Amino acid sequence: MSKVDNLLKGINAFIRKAEEGSEDITAILPNDIPELDELPELVESFEALTAKRLRQQRKFYLDAFQSFISKDDEMTLEAMLNYLQSDLFASDEFAILYGIEAAAFLTNTTESLTKIIMESIGKDVAFNDLSMRTTDWVASWSKELAEIMQLNTHKAIESELVAAIEAGESIQQAEIRLKDLPEFDRKRARDTARTEILAASSQANWESFMHSPSVEGKKWKHSGSKKSQPGATHVAMDGEVVGVDELFLVDGEFGMYPRDTTFSAKNRVNCGCVIGPVVNQDIIRLSLEEKEEIRQQVLNELHEE
Ligand SMILES: [Zn+2]
């Protein structure tokens, strides 16, 4: 197996184990790929940041709850719910602050992986800056991720309060519900941080292939047991080649890479497939200047889109 294929397979295995929830994230790094040593620390620090933001958000709601009920002995949960919906949700700063942190994580991780993948492809040009397509993706996805998380937290708070009202609970009982919401806990921070490595890694695959003049396409590689679903159709995909910026067609569905979220669950769950670069050996032998020229052409074309 070539160096780059081994690396991409190693990254993929790491991501899958991380998503499955292995306790020690350093222990699941493939030990034959020292280039990936930085990865666990990037993910762990993002998990810690995420957890901190969620704790702050929890405190924001609990403090507001406290000060709201202390104003009036006759306060009802209905009034609290109304206050949340009409006022408090709008002053929640989680999405804005977390969006900035998620963007930094996605940028660092994508850059780090792009550099490593490009180096493993071989005698091509070195990585310099992320393309505008990737920086745009980071900007939009980090914002969307933070907003989705905030929206889900708001929905969870609402439904707990509604449930407390329907059950005729006291203010104190409702407060305990808020305190115990899984939306604020460490597990959510952990799951989020680990899911986002897949996003960064997929973007890094694309980015590194686009930057590497000798890479002409991407090849689907089946991996995993033939018995596991979605085995059969993915075994048939083995060896399929499309352009770096083109979509694979699997089972009537399109996706940029294995487990792309554009695939339905049947094509994502249990999929251990990877992609590898299709390298043009004639181009890899060109001089650095000639390769740099090819890269500039590719980046200019992306720019003009
Ligand atoms: Zn697969």
Side-chain angles (χ1 to χ4, degrees), residues 292-305:
E292 189 55 54
E293 206 171 298
I294 297 175
R295 164 159 70 182
Q296 278 315 319
Q297 277 170 15
V298 172
L299 293 179
N300 289 345
E301 278 162 27
L302 274 180
H303 222 88
E304 283 156 14
E305 267 175 16

Side-chain angles (χ1 to χ4, degrees), residues 16 220-224 228-231 233-235 237 250 258-259 266-274:
R16 280 175 58 88
W220 188 288
K221 288 162 188 261
H222 174 73
S223 171
S228 72
Q229 291 301 326
T233 50
H234 289 212
V235 173
M237 282 299 293
V250 185
R259 300 206 294 141
K266 72 173 174 145
N267 273 316
R268 288 204 316 272
V269 179
N270 291 328
C271 173
C273 299
V274 291

Side-chain angles (χ1 to χ4, degrees), residues 46 95-114 127 129-147 196-207 257:
F46 185 49
I96 290 165
L97 298 171
Y98 187 64
I100 296 166
E101 287 161 354
F105 168 74
L106 291 170
T107 300
N108 291 338
T109 311
T110 306
E111 261 180 11
S112 165
L113 288 171
T114 299
F127 172 67
D129 284 317
L130 290 175
S131 67
M132 193 184 271
R133 174 99 76 91
T134 291
T135 54
D136 285 350
W137 168 75
V138 167
S140 66
W141 173 240
S142 54
K143 188 166 179 274
E144 197 181 331
L145 171 69
E147 282 167 1
E196 292 313 308
I197 342 170
L198 174 64
S201 151
S202 305
Q203 193 66 28
N205 274 328
W206 178 86
E207 181 80 13
Y257 46 84

Side-chain angles (χ1 to χ4, degrees), residues 239-256:
E240 277 283 309
V241 173
V242 298
V244 174
D245 208 20
E246 285 166 12
L247 298 162
F248 288 104
L249 175 61
V250 185
D251 233 356
E253 298 175 356
F254 288 99
M256 284 293 277

